[in-house]
Amino acid sequence: MDEFRQAPSGVGARMRKVLPPPALCGFLLLLALMFAVAYAVGAAAGPVAPGMQDTGPRPGGGADGGSADRDGMHGMHGGGR
C-alpha cells in the first residue's frame, strides 16, 4: 500500500551530494567554450586599431612620462572660444 522510498546509501549517494547539479556543470562548460571561441576569434582578427597606443615615452616631463598639463589637452588652444 504505502511505499516508502529509502534514500540510496553508498558511494553514489555521497557523490551526488558533493558534485554540483549537471545543469550547472553544462552551463559552466558552455561558458568556457564560448570564452575560448571568442578569444580565438579575437586573436585571429588581430588589433582593431594598431598605433592607437603609444608605448614610448612622452615628451613633457610629467611624473607619469606624459604631459605636465593636468587635463592632458595641452595641444588645444583657445578652448573653442
Side-chain angles (χ1 to χ4, degrees):
M1 316 232 174
D2 289 330
E3 294 181 21
F4 293 103
R5 240 184 171 177
Q6 292 182 353
S9 61
V11 177
R14 281 186 235 137
M15 289 301 288
R16 279 192 292 271
K17 288 182 181 180
V18 173
L19 292 176
L24 179 62
C25 292
F27 172 73
L28 293 176
L29 182 66
L30 182 64
L31 189 66
L33 180 67
M34 288 178 60
F35 175 78
V37 169
Y39 183 82
V41 168
V48 176
M52 282 194 65
Q53 290 182 337
D54 184 23
T55 58
R58 294 183 182 181
D64 61 350
S67 165
D69 199 14
R70 279 221 181 262
D71 61 0
M73 302 187 69
H74 59 277
M76 300 291 286
H77 298 290
R81 292 179 206 159

